[in-house]
């Protein structure tokens, strides 16, 4: 029985072909099988890179990834070197690859990577927002209700957040982000990173949402600051909670909205609101408030 092969996740340029690492060219030349997200785009990339891999090329995208895994693992166990490439960036990060990596690792196959450009890190680096702690949320659900629920769940997230979004849904995404995080929450829209028409727009979410009402094209990455990173005012947020609850809003809902809008900790605001409501006397917590989640 032959020794198992190697699974290689190869990062590809996110725009400018000059961003290709020499190691990518070597990986393509050494491959026995190349699993490409879009075979036509892969062949165009090879043309731009000036390479002509001799490996067999198979399609490997969201629609057929599950069906392809067993066959690719079988080839790996037969000693083949399989290279996975997505249309742009790192495979398995909002792109096909995760299932294959998990199956290959479970089969005892060596899994390695050729690092390459990343839209996530590139957008984060140029955003001007805090980079010491961040989270990647990828593409949110297309249905508005599900998308709004995901954003509402991130209202108290203190880390900088990075999202991918399709250009034709950007306006709806930003409008929902305004509702979840507040109009003034700082954000950055990165369009066509590393390409000729690269564009980086910075501003409050409401300002960016208004801009996105026009026709937007290209690959989009959105970076949004975390809650509380602007040093918001707790007294101002508490005043907003008072107004909202006096008009009939539930305390937990009022706190979530005010914390996002004023950039303060939702837990701190919730505790302050309880003290404010009770005159500093202990009261039972709202079971749907931060402590009940």
């Amino acid at each position: 029985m032959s020794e198992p092969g190697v699974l290689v996740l190869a990062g590809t340029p996110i725009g400018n072909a000059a961003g290709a690492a020499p190691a990518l060219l070597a990986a393509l030349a050494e491959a026995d099988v190349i699993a490409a997200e879009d075979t036509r785009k892969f062949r165009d990339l090879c043309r731009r890179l000036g390479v002509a891999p001799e490996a067999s090329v198979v399609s490997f995208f969201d629609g057929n990834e599950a069906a392809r895994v067993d066959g690719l693992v079988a080839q790996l166990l037969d000693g083949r070197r399989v290279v996975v490439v997505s249309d742009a960036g790192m495979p398995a990060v909002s792109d096909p690859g995760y299932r294959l990596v998990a199956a290959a690792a479970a089969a005892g196959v060596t899994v390695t990577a050729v690092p390459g450009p990343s839209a996530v890190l590139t957008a984060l680096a140029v955003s001007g927002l805090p980079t010491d702690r961040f989270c990647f949320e990828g593409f949110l659900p297309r249905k508005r209700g599900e998308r709004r629920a995901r954003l509402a769940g991130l209202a108290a997230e203190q880390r900088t957040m990075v999202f991918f979004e399709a250009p034709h849904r950007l306006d709806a995404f930003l409008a929902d982000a305004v509702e979840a995080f507040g109009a003034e929450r700082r954000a950055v829209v990165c369009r066509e990173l590393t390409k000729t028409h690269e564009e980086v727009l910075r501003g409050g979410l409401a300002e960016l949402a208004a801009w996105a009402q026009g026709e937007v094209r290209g690959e989009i990455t959105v970076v949004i600051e975390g809650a509380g990173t602007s040093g918001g005012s707790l007294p101002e947020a508490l005043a907003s909670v008072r107004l909202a609850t006096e008009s009939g809003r539930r305390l937990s809902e009022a706190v979530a909205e005010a914390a996002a809008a004023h950039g303060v900790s939702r837990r701190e605001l919730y505790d302050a609101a309880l003290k404010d409501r009770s005159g500093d006397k202990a009261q039972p917590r709202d079971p749907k408030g931060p402590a009940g989640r």
Side-chain angles (χ1 to χ4, degrees):
M1 183 176 179
S2 61
E3 288 292 319
V6 177
L7 175 63
V8 182
L9 304 176
T12 55
I14 59 175
N16 188 343
L24 170 62
L25 307 186
L28 296 178
E30 296 167 359
D32 296 307
V33 179
I34 296 173
E37 183 177 9
D38 185 314
T39 57
R40 290 172 297 180
K41 290 183 178 179
F42 171 68
R43 295 189 189 285
D44 180 64
L45 174 63
C46 289
R47 178 188 59 76
R48 290 186 287 134
L49 295 177
V51 298
E54 297 181 0
S56 61
V57 179
V58 298
S59 64
F60 187 67
F61 59 97
D62 286 337
N64 72 358
E65 180 180 4
R68 288 281 194 202
V69 166
D70 288 346
L72 290 172
V73 170
Q75 295 196 65
L76 286 163
L77 292 175
D78 197 37
R80 301 290 184 88
R81 190 175 187 88
V82 177
V83 175
V84 179
V85 293
S86 62
D87 292 345
M90 201 69 195
V93 180
S94 281
D95 278 325
Y98 162 73
R99 294 183 181 88
L100 179 57
V101 170
V109 173
T110 298
V111 180
T112 188
V114 174
S118 164
V120 177
L121 296 181
T122 301
L124 182 68
V126 304
S127 70
L129 298 176
T131 59
D132 53 333
R133 298 177 67 237
F134 70 94
C135 60
F136 174 56
E137 293 294 323
F139 287 98
L140 295 191
R142 297 183 181 185
K143 294 183 178 179
R144 190 182 184 206
E146 296 176 6
R147 182 173 61 243
R148 293 174 70 184
R150 282 279 297 276
L151 288 169
L154 292 167
E157 175 59 66
Q158 296 187 357
R159 294 172 295 179
T160 299
M161 297 166 280
V162 184
F163 303 85
F164 287 160
E165 190 51 274
H168 62 279
R169 290 195 298 270
L170 180 61
D171 56 346
F173 169 87
L174 290 172
D176 290 340
V178 168
E179 182 176 330
F181 304 138
E184 300 304 317
R185 180 76 71 90
R186 292 187 300 164
V188 181
V189 173
C190 301
R191 189 182 72 85
E192 297 288 82
L193 285 169
T194 79
K195 298 181 182 179
T196 302
H197 300 293
E198 175 180 284
E199 188 173 19
V200 178
L201 297 102
R202 301 176 177 85
L205 279 169
E207 178 185 358
L208 293 173
W211 166 81
Q213 293 301 308
E215 184 179 16
V216 179
R217 296 182 179 181
E219 300 291 332
I220 303 293
T221 306
V222 181
V223 186
I224 301 177
E225 75 172 335
T229 58
S230 291
S233 168
L234 187 61
E236 291 180 4
L238 185 56
S240 295
V241 171
R242 288 194 198 106
L243 290 173
T245 54
E246 287 170 3
S247 65
R249 298 298 299 278
R250 294 187 58 168
L251 179 61
S252 57
E253 295 174 350
V255 166
E257 293 177 3
H262 292 274
V264 300
S265 164
R266 184 163 65 169
R267 180 172 291 278
E268 290 181 11
L269 179 58
Y270 189 80
D271 288 341
L274 282 179
K275 292 178 181 179
D276 181 65
R277 170 187 274 187
S278 63
D280 240 348
K281 296 179 181 179
Q283 290 285 331
R285 289 184 179 273
D286 182 338
K288 292 192 175 181
R293 296 183 179 181

